[in-house]
Structure formats: structure tokens, C-alpha cells
Amino acid sequence: MQRQKIELYAERTFSRKLSDTFDFLSENGKVLFKFLAYLLLPVSAVQALGMNFYAGDVISIIDNINATDHADFIMHAIIGYAILMLSIMTGAVLSSSLVYGLVRLYGKRQERLQGITMSEMRPVLLTNIWRTVKMGIVIAIIMTMVITLLAVAAVGLGEVAGLGNGAAVLTVFIGIIAVFACGIPLALTLPIYLIEDDSTLWESLTKAFRLGFKTWGGIFGVLFVIGFIVQFIQGVSTMPLYIMLIFKGVLLSSDGAATMVTSPAYTFGMYLFGVVQAFGMYVGYTIIYVATAILYGHAAEKTDGVSVERDVDNFEQMGDDNDDDMALFDSPKP
């Protein structure tokens, strides 16, 4: 028996937002996992390499804290950290582009996501990747400007008011609250931009704020609950790697155990658990992206009545596409 289709644009209670999120994940779990494995496992493999380089060199620096020359360790750690950050950014772009693309196709395809192939997904994925990169650059610029303005305001207020550090702390505190309040609606920006065909970047930003502030509490509540679930999943996937890192840090100073934690087998085990940790992180991201798409659908329906508007447009389109059979009107009366 086929499940009832999950409509994106629908008003939902708090519990239904959560249930629709996990119903979508349950219905399309195999498709999501297949595409995640195809796109994110290679990224996870590189990310684990960077993580091991970075963590291993940091442990070595701490273990040899009294040494006079840490140049090699520091250089390796910087390279590892750069690989790690680039991998995370790449993975975030790919995972968000994939999930929102699948949500979009789920609503458009008669058979939903059943039988979807990478060739069918590729055009949507490439478009979403480019849009995600553009959105990321714009948001990074905006955040840089906000942080700069906060710093300037804190220093300026302190000098003008003569309150010194107290004014600076107060200004930064108020700024953090304002950024947090605006950051909740901002979560809707990417699903709007990637799901809606005709939405421009700036329209997506303004629409996200308009819809987000009207449904602020619901967005915060759902993401708060989802955040706990995601943290648990990511914690489980991260635990084996962290245990091995702790053992390496503790045992590295022991002459007898140092050989074991520096052996190729131990290093390879850390690498495999690093891949698990990275992939688990992207699985967690997937849950957040689906939840955010559901939140956007609720906000758009509650505020703009999108489904009603689309039903009217579809009705008019059906009338325009179907010619009247004039023979019915020209037939002779009995």
C-alpha cells in the first residue's frame, strides 16, 4: 500500500512538522542514502584524512610541548585543518543541494522519488550547487559586515559614553541577541532559493525574513528538537574516533604503548572511523535540511496560502489547455 504523499505546502501543528519530517525520511530513506553515499562518501574520505592530519599533529605538539621546534608539526596541522574545512564546506554545499533538489523533485514527479536516477538528478543538483555557493558568499559578506558594525559600534559607544569595556560588552550582547533573532528566519532562505523555480537570491532573503518572523517560534522549536536528535546521531558516529584520539594522546608518551598507537593498523582504524564520523555528520545535516523544507512549506502556506493560489493557477491552465467541443453546441435539438 502506497503512502499518502507529503505535500510541501500545508499548515502543520508542531507535532506534524516533526512527523512529516521523519515520514519523508522514512519514505525516501533508500534514495537519500544512495545519493548521499554516491556524493558524500568521497568527501568524507578526504575529510577524514584532513581530520587525522590535524588531530594527529596537535597531539604531537602537545606531547612534545617542551621541544624547541614545532614548525613541521604546525605546518602539517595547518594543512590538515585547511583540508578539513574545505571538505566540510564542500560537503555542506553538496548535501544541501542534494536534499533540497530531491524535495523539489518529490513534489513534481508523479512517482515521487521512486526510480529516480543520477542523470535525472544531475541538472537540478548542478543548479542547486551554484545557487548554494552564491547564497553562501552573500551571507558570508552580510555576516562580516554585521560583525564589523558591531565592533565599530562597541568601540564608538564606549568612547562616546565613557563607559569603557562595559559599553562594549553591552553592545556585543545586544548584537548577539539580534543576530540570533534574525538567524532563525534566515534558515528558510536556502530552501526558498533552491526549491522555488522563479525565486531570485534577494527575493529569497526578503521572503525568508517575512515568513520567518511570522513563524519564528515554530521554527525555533522544531529546529531545537531536531538539533538534539542530530547531535545524538553525530555523537554516536563521532565517539569511536574520539576514543581512539584520546587513547593516542594518553598512550603516546608511554614507550611501551607508543608503538601501538603509531602503528599503520591503528592509524588506518582512525581513518576509517574518521570517514564514519564525517558521513554521520552529513546524515545529520540531511535531517535538518528536510525539517527546514517542511518548516518553509508550513510558513508559506500559513502566510501566503500557496497551495490555494497554485490550485487556482492550475485550474485556469486546465481551462486554457482544453478546447471546448463546439460540436456539442452545434448539434441539432431533438
mmCIF file with all atom_site columns, all heavy atoms in Angstrom, residues 222-247:
data_model
loop_
_atom_site.group_PDB
_atom_site.id
_atom_site.type_symbol
_atom_site.label_atom_id
_atom_site.label_alt_id
_atom_site.label_comp_id
_atom_site.label_asym_id
_atom_site.label_entity_id
_atom_site.label_seq_id
_atom_site.pdbx_PDB_ins_code
_atom_site.Cartn_x
_atom_site.Cartn_y
_atom_site.Cartn_z
_atom_site.occupancy
_atom_site.B_iso_or_equiv
_atom_site.pdbx_formal_charge
_atom_site.auth_seq_id
_atom_site.auth_comp_id
_atom_site.auth_asym_id
_atom_site.auth_atom_id
_atom_site.pdbx_PDB_model_num
ATOM 1   N N   . VAL A 1 222 ? 11.045 23.551 16.443 1.00 0.00 ? 222 VAL A N   1
ATOM 2   C CA  . VAL A 1 222 ? 11.324 22.342 15.657 1.00 0.00 ? 222 VAL A CA  1
ATOM 3   C C   . VAL A 1 222 ? 12.830 22.147 15.498 1.00 0.00 ? 222 VAL A C   1
ATOM 4   O O   . VAL A 1 222 ? 13.346 21.030 15.682 1.00 0.00 ? 222 VAL A O   1
ATOM 5   C CB  . VAL A 1 222 ? 10.638 22.422 14.281 1.00 0.00 ? 222 VAL A CB  1
ATOM 6   C CG1 . VAL A 1 222 ? 11.127 21.296 13.370 1.00 0.00 ? 222 VAL A CG1 1
ATOM 7   C CG2 . VAL A 1 222 ? 9.127  22.347 14.430 1.00 0.00 ? 222 VAL A CG2 1
ATOM 8   N N   . LEU A 1 223 ? 13.557 23.206 15.159 1.00 0.00 ? 223 LEU A N   1
ATOM 9   C CA  . LEU A 1 223 ? 14.996 23.074 14.979 1.00 0.00 ? 223 LEU A CA  1
ATOM 10  C C   . LEU A 1 223 ? 15.699 22.747 16.295 1.00 0.00 ? 223 LEU A C   1
ATOM 11  O O   . LEU A 1 223 ? 16.740 22.068 16.301 1.00 0.00 ? 223 LEU A O   1
ATOM 12  C CB  . LEU A 1 223 ? 15.578 24.359 14.378 1.00 0.00 ? 223 LEU A CB  1
ATOM 13  C CG  . LEU A 1 223 ? 15.164 24.656 12.935 1.00 0.00 ? 223 LEU A CG  1
ATOM 14  C CD1 . LEU A 1 223 ? 15.846 25.934 12.441 1.00 0.00 ? 223 LEU A CD1 1
ATOM 15  C CD2 . LEU A 1 223 ? 15.509 23.486 12.004 1.00 0.00 ? 223 LEU A CD2 1
ATOM 16  N N   . PHE A 1 224 ? 15.133 23.198 17.406 1.00 0.00 ? 224 PHE A N   1
ATOM 17  C CA  . PHE A 1 224 ? 15.704 22.872 18.726 1.00 0.00 ? 224 PHE A CA  1
ATOM 18  C C   . PHE A 1 224 ? 15.598 21.368 18.987 1.00 0.00 ? 224 PHE A C   1
ATOM 19  O O   . PHE A 1 224 ? 16.566 20.725 19.403 1.00 0.00 ? 224 PHE A O   1
ATOM 20  C CB  . PHE A 1 224 ? 14.962 23.658 19.806 1.00 0.00 ? 224 PHE A CB  1
ATOM 21  C CG  . PHE A 1 224 ? 15.546 23.487 21.185 1.00 0.00 ? 224 PHE A CG  1
ATOM 22  C CD1 . PHE A 1 224 ? 16.679 24.184 21.566 1.00 0.00 ? 224 PHE A CD1 1
ATOM 23  C CD2 . PHE A 1 224 ? 14.950 22.634 22.105 1.00 0.00 ? 224 PHE A CD2 1
ATOM 24  C CE1 . PHE A 1 224 ? 17.229 24.030 22.836 1.00 0.00 ? 224 PHE A CE1 1
ATOM 25  C CE2 . PHE A 1 224 ? 15.485 22.467 23.378 1.00 0.00 ? 224 PHE A CE2 1
ATOM 26  C CZ  . PHE A 1 224 ? 16.620 23.172 23.748 1.00 0.00 ? 224 PHE A CZ  1
ATOM 27  N N   . VAL A 1 225 ? 14.421 20.801 18.716 1.00 0.00 ? 225 VAL A N   1
ATOM 28  C CA  . VAL A 1 225 ? 14.221 19.362 18.923 1.00 0.00 ? 225 VAL A CA  1
ATOM 29  C C   . VAL A 1 225 ? 15.056 18.557 17.933 1.00 0.00 ? 225 VAL A C   1
ATOM 30  O O   . VAL A 1 225 ? 15.740 17.586 18.299 1.00 0.00 ? 225 VAL A O   1
ATOM 31  C CB  . VAL A 1 225 ? 12.727 19.001 18.788 1.00 0.00 ? 225 VAL A CB  1
ATOM 32  C CG1 . VAL A 1 225 ? 12.532 17.482 18.839 1.00 0.00 ? 225 VAL A CG1 1
ATOM 33  C CG2 . VAL A 1 225 ? 11.909 19.670 19.881 1.00 0.00 ? 225 VAL A CG2 1
ATOM 34  N N   . ILE A 1 226 ? 15.008 18.962 16.656 1.00 0.00 ? 226 ILE A N   1
ATOM 35  C CA  . ILE A 1 226 ? 15.783 18.263 15.632 1.00 0.00 ? 226 ILE A CA  1
ATOM 36  C C   . ILE A 1 226 ? 17.275 18.339 15.949 1.00 0.00 ? 226 ILE A C   1
ATOM 37  O O   . ILE A 1 226 ? 18.035 17.383 15.722 1.00 0.00 ? 226 ILE A O   1
ATOM 38  C CB  . ILE A 1 226 ? 15.512 18.863 14.243 1.00 0.00 ? 226 ILE A CB  1
ATOM 39  C CG1 . ILE A 1 226 ? 14.068 18.583 13.805 1.00 0.00 ? 226 ILE A CG1 1
ATOM 40  C CG2 . ILE A 1 226 ? 16.489 18.319 13.206 1.00 0.00 ? 226 ILE A CG2 1
ATOM 41  C CD1 . ILE A 1 226 ? 13.762 17.136 13.527 1.00 0.00 ? 226 ILE A CD1 1
ATOM 42  N N   . GLY A 1 227 ? 17.693 19.479 16.500 1.00 0.00 ? 227 GLY A N   1
ATOM 43  C CA  . GLY A 1 227 ? 19.106 19.639 16.847 1.00 0.00 ? 227 GLY A CA  1
ATOM 44  C C   . GLY A 1 227 ? 19.575 18.610 17.861 1.00 0.00 ? 227 GLY A C   1
ATOM 45  O O   . GLY A 1 227 ? 20.698 18.086 17.752 1.00 0.00 ? 227 GLY A O   1
ATOM 46  N N   . PHE A 1 228 ? 18.733 18.310 18.853 1.00 0.00 ? 228 PHE A N   1
ATOM 47  C CA  . PHE A 1 228 ? 19.091 17.287 19.835 1.00 0.00 ? 228 PHE A CA  1
ATOM 48  C C   . PHE A 1 228 ? 19.239 15.924 19.170 1.00 0.00 ? 228 PHE A C   1
ATOM 49  O O   . PHE A 1 228 ? 20.170 15.160 19.470 1.00 0.00 ? 228 PHE A O   1
ATOM 50  C CB  . PHE A 1 228 ? 18.025 17.218 20.937 1.00 0.00 ? 228 PHE A CB  1
ATOM 51  C CG  . PHE A 1 228 ? 18.296 18.144 22.093 1.00 0.00 ? 228 PHE A CG  1
ATOM 52  C CD1 . PHE A 1 228 ? 17.531 19.275 22.277 1.00 0.00 ? 228 PHE A CD1 1
ATOM 53  C CD2 . PHE A 1 228 ? 19.320 17.874 22.986 1.00 0.00 ? 228 PHE A CD2 1
ATOM 54  C CE1 . PHE A 1 228 ? 17.783 20.135 23.331 1.00 0.00 ? 228 PHE A CE1 1
ATOM 55  C CE2 . PHE A 1 228 ? 19.578 18.724 24.052 1.00 0.00 ? 228 PHE A CE2 1
ATOM 56  C CZ  . PHE A 1 228 ? 18.806 19.864 24.234 1.00 0.00 ? 228 PHE A CZ  1
ATOM 57  N N   . ILE A 1 229 ? 18.307 15.597 18.277 1.00 0.00 ? 229 ILE A N   1
ATOM 58  C CA  . ILE A 1 229 ? 18.358 14.301 17.592 1.00 0.00 ? 229 ILE A CA  1
ATOM 59  C C   . ILE A 1 229 ? 19.614 14.201 16.730 1.00 0.00 ? 229 ILE A C   1
ATOM 60  O O   . ILE A 1 229 ? 20.307 13.181 16.728 1.00 0.00 ? 229 ILE A O   1
ATOM 61  C CB  . ILE A 1 229 ? 17.091 14.110 16.735 1.00 0.00 ? 229 ILE A CB  1
ATOM 62  C CG1 . ILE A 1 229 ? 15.855 14.090 17.635 1.00 0.00 ? 229 ILE A CG1 1
ATOM 63  C CG2 . ILE A 1 229 ? 17.175 12.830 15.912 1.00 0.00 ? 229 ILE A CG2 1
ATOM 64  C CD1 . ILE A 1 229 ? 14.541 14.109 16.885 1.00 0.00 ? 229 ILE A CD1 1
ATOM 65  N N   . VAL A 1 230 ? 19.907 15.273 16.011 1.00 0.00 ? 230 VAL A N   1
ATOM 66  C CA  . VAL A 1 230 ? 21.087 15.289 15.142 1.00 0.00 ? 230 VAL A CA  1
ATOM 67  C C   . VAL A 1 230 ? 22.366 15.193 15.970 1.00 0.00 ? 230 VAL A C   1
ATOM 68  O O   . VAL A 1 230 ? 23.311 14.483 15.595 1.00 0.00 ? 230 VAL A O   1
ATOM 69  C CB  . VAL A 1 230 ? 21.082 16.556 14.261 1.00 0.00 ? 230 VAL A CB  1
ATOM 70  C CG1 . VAL A 1 230 ? 22.419 16.724 13.540 1.00 0.00 ? 230 VAL A CG1 1
ATOM 71  C CG2 . VAL A 1 230 ? 19.937 16.503 13.257 1.00 0.00 ? 230 VAL A CG2 1
ATOM 72  N N   . GLN A 1 231 ? 22.400 15.907 17.089 1.00 0.00 ? 231 GLN A N   1
ATOM 73  C CA  . GLN A 1 231 ? 23.582 15.836 17.961 1.00 0.00 ? 231 GLN A CA  1
ATOM 74  C C   . GLN A 1 231 ? 23.815 14.420 18.462 1.00 0.00 ? 231 GLN A C   1
ATOM 75  O O   . GLN A 1 231 ? 24.959 13.962 18.570 1.00 0.00 ? 231 GLN A O   1
ATOM 76  C CB  . GLN A 1 231 ? 23.415 16.792 19.151 1.00 0.00 ? 231 GLN A CB  1
ATOM 77  C CG  . GLN A 1 231 ? 23.634 18.249 18.816 1.00 0.00 ? 231 GLN A CG  1
ATOM 78  C CD  . GLN A 1 231 ? 25.059 18.536 18.386 1.00 0.00 ? 231 GLN A CD  1
ATOM 79  O OE1 . GLN A 1 231 ? 26.017 18.023 18.958 1.00 0.00 ? 231 GLN A OE1 1
ATOM 80  N NE2 . GLN A 1 231 ? 25.216 19.354 17.367 1.00 0.00 ? 231 GLN A NE2 1
ATOM 81  N N   . PHE A 1 232 ? 22.726 13.702 18.765 1.00 0.00 ? 232 PHE A N   1
ATOM 82  C CA  . PHE A 1 232 ? 22.869 12.319 19.217 1.00 0.00 ? 232 PHE A CA  1
ATOM 83  C C   . PHE A 1 232 ? 23.443 11.449 18.104 1.00 0.00 ? 232 PHE A C   1
ATOM 84  O O   . PHE A 1 232 ? 24.367 10.656 18.331 1.00 0.00 ? 232 PHE A O   1
ATOM 85  C CB  . PHE A 1 232 ? 21.508 11.784 19.663 1.00 0.00 ? 232 PHE A CB  1
ATOM 86  C CG  . PHE A 1 232 ? 21.533 10.329 20.042 1.00 0.00 ? 232 PHE A CG  1
ATOM 87  C CD1 . PHE A 1 232 ? 22.037 9.923  21.271 1.00 0.00 ? 232 PHE A CD1 1
ATOM 88  C CD2 . PHE A 1 232 ? 21.061 9.359  19.164 1.00 0.00 ? 232 PHE A CD2 1
ATOM 89  C CE1 . PHE A 1 232 ? 22.073 8.574  21.619 1.00 0.00 ? 232 PHE A CE1 1
ATOM 90  C CE2 . PHE A 1 232 ? 21.091 8.019  19.501 1.00 0.00 ? 232 PHE A CE2 1
ATOM 91  C CZ  . PHE A 1 232 ? 21.599 7.625  20.737 1.00 0.00 ? 232 PHE A CZ  1
ATOM 92  N N   . ILE A 1 233 ? 22.901 11.576 16.883 1.00 0.00 ? 233 ILE A N   1
ATOM 93  C CA  . ILE A 1 233 ? 23.393 10.778 15.751 1.00 0.00 ? 233 ILE A CA  1
ATOM 94  C C   . ILE A 1 233 ? 24.862 11.076 15.476 1.00 0.00 ? 233 ILE A C   1
ATOM 95  O O   . ILE A 1 233 ? 25.682 10.166 15.298 1.00 0.00 ? 233 ILE A O   1
ATOM 96  C CB  . ILE A 1 233 ? 22.539 11.049 14.503 1.00 0.00 ? 233 ILE A CB  1
ATOM 97  C CG1 . ILE A 1 233 ? 21.110 10.542 14.708 1.00 0.00 ? 233 ILE A CG1 1
ATOM 98  C CG2 . ILE A 1 233 ? 23.152 10.398 13.261 1.00 0.00 ? 233 ILE A CG2 1
ATOM 99  C CD1 . ILE A 1 233 ? 20.155 10.936 13.602 1.00 0.00 ? 233 ILE A CD1 1
ATOM 100 N N   . GLN A 1 234 ? 25.184 12.352 15.446 1.00 0.00 ? 234 GLN A N   1
ATOM 101 C CA  . GLN A 1 234 ? 26.568 12.734 15.175 1.00 0.00 ? 234 GLN A CA  1
ATOM 102 C C   . GLN A 1 234 ? 27.495 12.337 16.324 1.00 0.00 ? 234 GLN A C   1
ATOM 103 O O   . GLN A 1 234 ? 28.654 11.996 16.105 1.00 0.00 ? 234 GLN A O   1
ATOM 104 C CB  . GLN A 1 234 ? 26.644 14.233 14.907 1.00 0.00 ? 234 GLN A CB  1
ATOM 105 C CG  . GLN A 1 234 ? 25.939 14.649 13.615 1.00 0.00 ? 234 GLN A CG  1
ATOM 106 C CD  . GLN A 1 234 ? 26.002 16.142 13.361 1.00 0.00 ? 234 GLN A CD  1
ATOM 107 O OE1 . GLN A 1 234 ? 26.263 16.939 14.269 1.00 0.00 ? 234 GLN A OE1 1
ATOM 108 N NE2 . GLN A 1 234 ? 25.745 16.544 12.131 1.00 0.00 ? 234 GLN A NE2 1
ATOM 109 N N   . GLY A 1 235 ? 26.970 12.355 17.555 1.00 0.00 ? 235 GLY A N   1
ATOM 110 C CA  . GLY A 1 235 ? 27.779 11.925 18.699 1.00 0.00 ? 235 GLY A CA  1
ATOM 111 C C   . GLY A 1 235 ? 28.111 10.449 18.630 1.00 0.00 ? 235 GLY A C   1
ATOM 112 O O   . GLY A 1 235 ? 29.243 10.041 18.922 1.00 0.00 ? 235 GLY A O   1
ATOM 113 N N   . VAL A 1 236 ? 27.132 9.637  18.219 1.00 0.00 ? 236 VAL A N   1
ATOM 114 C CA  . VAL A 1 236 ? 27.364 8.197  18.090 1.00 0.00 ? 236 VAL A CA  1
ATOM 115 C C   . VAL A 1 236 ? 28.407 7.920  17.008 1.00 0.00 ? 236 VAL A C   1
ATOM 116 O O   . VAL A 1 236 ? 29.296 7.080  17.180 1.00 0.00 ? 236 VAL A O   1
ATOM 117 C CB  . VAL A 1 236 ? 26.047 7.468  17.772 1.00 0.00 ? 236 VAL A CB  1
ATOM 118 C CG1 . VAL A 1 236 ? 26.305 6.012  17.391 1.00 0.00 ? 236 VAL A CG1 1
ATOM 119 C CG2 . VAL A 1 236 ? 25.096 7.536  18.962 1.00 0.00 ? 236 VAL A CG2 1
ATOM 120 N N   . SER A 1 237 ? 28.293 8.634  15.875 1.00 0.00 ? 237 SER A N   1
ATOM 121 C CA  . SER A 1 237 ? 29.243 8.404  14.785 1.00 0.00 ? 237 SER A CA  1
ATOM 122 C C   . SER A 1 237 ? 30.632 8.949  15.100 1.00 0.00 ? 237 SER A C   1
ATOM 123 O O   . SER A 1 237 ? 31.633 8.479  14.541 1.00 0.00 ? 237 SER A O   1
ATOM 124 C CB  . SER A 1 237 ? 28.720 9.048  13.488 1.00 0.00 ? 237 SER A CB  1
ATOM 125 O OG  . SER A 1 237 ? 28.677 10.462 13.602 1.00 0.00 ? 237 SER A OG  1
ATOM 126 N N   . THR A 1 238 ? 30.707 9.910  16.006 1.00 0.00 ? 238 THR A N   1
ATOM 127 C CA  . THR A 1 238 ? 31.990 10.534 16.339 1.00 0.00 ? 238 THR A CA  1
ATOM 128 C C   . THR A 1 238 ? 32.717 9.817  17.468 1.00 0.00 ? 238 THR A C   1
ATOM 129 O O   . THR A 1 238 ? 33.954 9.840  17.540 1.00 0.00 ? 238 THR A O   1
ATOM 130 C CB  . THR A 1 238 ? 31.759 12.009 16.738 1.00 0.00 ? 238 THR A CB  1
ATOM 131 O OG1 . THR A 1 238 ? 31.152 12.700 15.641 1.00 0.00 ? 238 THR A OG1 1
ATOM 132 C CG2 . THR A 1 238 ? 33.057 12.715 17.101 1.00 0.00 ? 238 THR A CG2 1
ATOM 133 N N   . MET A 1 239 ? 31.964 9.139  18.329 1.00 0.00 ? 239 MET A N   1
ATOM 134 C CA  . MET A 1 239 ? 32.540 8.551  19.542 1.00 0.00 ? 239 MET A CA  1
ATOM 135 C C   . MET A 1 239 ? 33.724 7.620  19.286 1.00 0.00 ? 239 MET A C   1
ATOM 136 O O   . MET A 1 239 ? 34.762 7.734  19.972 1.00 0.00 ? 239 MET A O   1
ATOM 137 C CB  . MET A 1 239 ? 31.452 7.826  20.335 1.00 0.00 ? 239 MET A CB  1
ATOM 138 C CG  . MET A 1 239 ? 31.876 7.415  21.734 1.00 0.00 ? 239 MET A CG  1
ATOM 139 S SD  . MET A 1 239 ? 30.518 6.643  22.643 1.00 0.00 ? 239 MET A SD  1
ATOM 140 C CE  . MET A 1 239 ? 29.335 8.000  22.670 1.00 0.00 ? 239 MET A CE  1
ATOM 141 N N   . PRO A 1 240 ? 33.647 6.681  18.331 1.00 0.00 ? 240 PRO A N   1
ATOM 142 C CA  . PRO A 1 240 ? 34.802 5.789  18.122 1.00 0.00 ? 240 PRO A CA  1
ATOM 143 C C   . PRO A 1 240 ? 36.090 6.537  17.765 1.00 0.00 ? 240 PRO A C   1
ATOM 144 O O   . PRO A 1 240 ? 37.171 6.200  18.271 1.00 0.00 ? 240 PRO A O   1
ATOM 145 C CB  . PRO A 1 240 ? 34.356 4.886  16.955 1.00 0.00 ? 240 PRO A CB  1
ATOM 146 C CG  . PRO A 1 240 ? 32.866 4.919  17.016 1.00 0.00 ? 240 PRO A CG  1
ATOM 147 C CD  . PRO A 1 240 ? 32.513 6.292  17.465 1.00 0.00 ? 240 PRO A CD  1
ATOM 148 N N   . LEU A 1 241 ? 35.968 7.560  16.927 1.00 0.00 ? 241 LEU A N   1
ATOM 149 C CA  . LEU A 1 241 ? 37.148 8.336  16.544 1.00 0.00 ? 241 LEU A CA  1
ATOM 150 C C   . LEU A 1 241 ? 37.722 9.073  17.750 1.00 0.00 ? 241 LEU A C   1
ATOM 151 O O   . LEU A 1 241 ? 38.945 9.070  17.968 1.00 0.00 ? 241 LEU A O   1
ATOM 152 C CB  . LEU A 1 241 ? 36.795 9.320  15.434 1.00 0.00 ? 241 LEU A CB  1
ATOM 153 C CG  . LEU A 1 241 ? 37.918 10.286 15.019 1.00 0.00 ? 241 LEU A CG  1
ATOM 154 C CD1 . LEU A 1 241 ? 39.100 9.525  14.435 1.00 0.00 ? 241 LEU A CD1 1
ATOM 155 C CD2 . LEU A 1 241 ? 37.402 11.313 14.014 1.00 0.00 ? 241 LEU A CD2 1
ATOM 156 N N   . TYR A 1 242 ? 36.862 9.696  18.540 1.00 0.00 ? 242 TYR A N   1
ATOM 157 C CA  . TYR A 1 242 ? 37.340 10.443 19.702 1.00 0.00 ? 242 TYR A CA  1
ATOM 158 C C   . TYR A 1 242 ? 37.994 9.526  20.736 1.00 0.00 ? 242 TYR A C   1
ATOM 159 O O   . TYR A 1 242 ? 38.981 9.904  21.379 1.00 0.00 ? 242 TYR A O   1
ATOM 160 C CB  . TYR A 1 242 ? 36.186 11.222 20.336 1.00 0.00 ? 242 TYR A CB  1
ATOM 161 C CG  . TYR A 1 242 ? 35.858 12.515 19.631 1.00 0.00 ? 242 TYR A CG  1
ATOM 162 C CD1 . TYR A 1 242 ? 36.506 12.863 18.444 1.00 0.00 ? 242 TYR A CD1 1
ATOM 163 C CD2 . TYR A 1 242 ? 34.915 13.395 20.139 1.00 0.00 ? 242 TYR A CD2 1
ATOM 164 C CE1 . TYR A 1 242 ? 36.213 14.041 17.791 1.00 0.00 ? 242 TYR A CE1 1
ATOM 165 C CE2 . TYR A 1 242 ? 34.614 14.586 19.488 1.00 0.00 ? 242 TYR A CE2 1
ATOM 166 C CZ  . TYR A 1 242 ? 35.271 14.905 18.309 1.00 0.00 ? 242 TYR A CZ  1
ATOM 167 O OH  . TYR A 1 242 ? 34.979 16.084 17.665 1.00 0.00 ? 242 TYR A OH  1
ATOM 168 N N   . ILE A 1 243 ? 37.435 8.321  20.892 1.00 0.00 ? 243 ILE A N   1
ATOM 169 C CA  . ILE A 1 243 ? 38.046 7.367  21.829 1.00 0.00 ? 243 ILE A CA  1
ATOM 170 C C   . ILE A 1 243 ? 39.461 7.007  21.375 1.00 0.00 ? 243 ILE A C   1
ATOM 171 O O   . ILE A 1 243 ? 40.400 6.963  22.198 1.00 0.00 ? 243 ILE A O   1
ATOM 172 C CB  . ILE A 1 243 ? 37.167 6.108  21.948 1.00 0.00 ? 243 ILE A CB  1
ATOM 173 C CG1 . ILE A 1 243 ? 35.868 6.442  22.691 1.00 0.00 ? 243 ILE A CG1 1
ATOM 174 C CG2 . ILE A 1 243 ? 37.916 4.992  22.681 1.00 0.00 ? 243 ILE A CG2 1
ATOM 175 C CD1 . ILE A 1 243 ? 34.867 5.304  22.722 1.00 0.00 ? 243 ILE A CD1 1
ATOM 176 N N   . MET A 1 244 ? 39.613 6.763  20.072 1.00 0.00 ? 244 MET A N   1
ATOM 177 C CA  . MET A 1 244 ? 40.944 6.432  19.557 1.00 0.00 ? 244 MET A CA  1
ATOM 178 C C   . MET A 1 244 ? 41.907 7.610  19.680 1.00 0.00 ? 244 MET A C   1
ATOM 179 O O   . MET A 1 244 ? 43.099 7.425  19.973 1.00 0.00 ? 244 MET A O   1
ATOM 180 C CB  . MET A 1 244 ? 40.837 5.983  18.096 1.00 0.00 ? 244 MET A CB  1
ATOM 181 C CG  . MET A 1 244 ? 40.088 4.674  17.916 1.00 0.00 ? 244 MET A CG  1
ATOM 182 S SD  . MET A 1 244 ? 40.245 3.978  16.257 1.00 0.00 ? 244 MET A SD  1
ATOM 183 C CE  . MET A 1 244 ? 41.916 3.308  16.316 1.00 0.00 ? 244 MET A CE  1
ATOM 184 N N   . LEU A 1 245 ? 41.408 8.834  19.481 1.00 0.00 ? 245 LEU A N   1
ATOM 185 C CA  . LEU A 1 245 ? 42.254 10.016 19.630 1.00 0.00 ? 245 LEU A CA  1
ATOM 186 C C   . LEU A 1 245 ? 42.686 10.194 21.083 1.00 0.00 ? 245 LEU A C   1
ATOM 187 O O   . LEU A 1 245 ? 43.847 10.539 21.362 1.00 0.00 ? 245 LEU A O   1
ATOM 188 C CB  . LEU A 1 245 ? 41.508 11.259 19.149 1.00 0.00 ? 245 LEU A CB  1
ATOM 189 C CG  . LEU A 1 245 ? 41.380 11.438 17.638 1.00 0.00 ? 245 LEU A CG  1
ATOM 190 C CD1 . LEU A 1 245 ? 40.443 12.594 17.307 1.00 0.00 ? 245 LEU A CD1 1
ATOM 191 C CD2 . LEU A 1 245 ? 42.756 11.678 16.999 1.00 0.00 ? 245 LEU A CD2 1
ATOM 192 N N   . ILE A 1 246 ? 41.761 9.958  22.013 1.00 0.00 ? 246 ILE A N   1
ATOM 193 C CA  . ILE A 1 246 ? 42.101 10.089 23.435 1.00 0.00 ? 246 ILE A CA  1
ATOM 194 C C   . ILE A 1 246 ? 43.144 9.052  23.829 1.00 0.00 ? 246 ILE A C   1
ATOM 195 O O   . ILE A 1 246 ? 44.119 9.356  24.530 1.00 0.00 ? 246 ILE A O   1
ATOM 196 C CB  . ILE A 1 246 ? 40.828 9.948  24.295 1.00 0.00 ? 246 ILE A CB  1
ATOM 197 C CG1 . ILE A 1 246 ? 39.921 11.163 24.082 1.00 0.00 ? 246 ILE A CG1 1
ATOM 198 C CG2 . ILE A 1 246 ? 41.187 9.814  25.777 1.00 0.00 ? 246 ILE A CG2 1
ATOM 199 C CD1 . ILE A 1 246 ? 38.542 11.023 24.703 1.00 0.00 ? 246 ILE A CD1 1
ATOM 200 N N   . PHE A 1 247 ? 42.930 7.819  23.383 1.00 0.00 ? 247 PHE A N   1
ATOM 201 C CA  . PHE A 1 247 ? 43.910 6.774  23.682 1.00 0.00 ? 247 PHE A CA  1
ATOM 202 C C   . PHE A 1 247 ? 45.273 7.132  23.107 1.00 0.00 ? 247 PHE A C   1
ATOM 203 O O   . PHE A 1 247 ? 46.306 6.914  23.741 1.00 0.00 ? 247 PHE A O   1
ATOM 204 C CB  . PHE A 1 247 ? 43.442 5.429  23.125 1.00 0.00 ? 247 PHE A CB  1
ATOM 205 C CG  . PHE A 1 247 ? 42.638 4.626  24.094 1.00 0.00 ? 247 PHE A CG  1
ATOM 206 C CD1 . PHE A 1 247 ? 41.285 4.422  23.890 1.00 0.00 ? 247 PHE A CD1 1
ATOM 207 C CD2 . PHE A 1 247 ? 43.228 4.074  25.215 1.00 0.00 ? 247 PHE A CD2 1
ATOM 208 C CE1 . PHE A 1 247 ? 40.535 3.686  24.792 1.00 0.00 ? 247 PHE A CE1 1
ATOM 209 C CE2 . PHE A 1 247 ? 42.487 3.329  26.129 1.00 0.00 ? 247 PHE A CE2 1
ATOM 210 C CZ  . PHE A 1 247 ? 41.130 3.141  25.907 1.00 0.00 ? 247 PHE A CZ  1
#
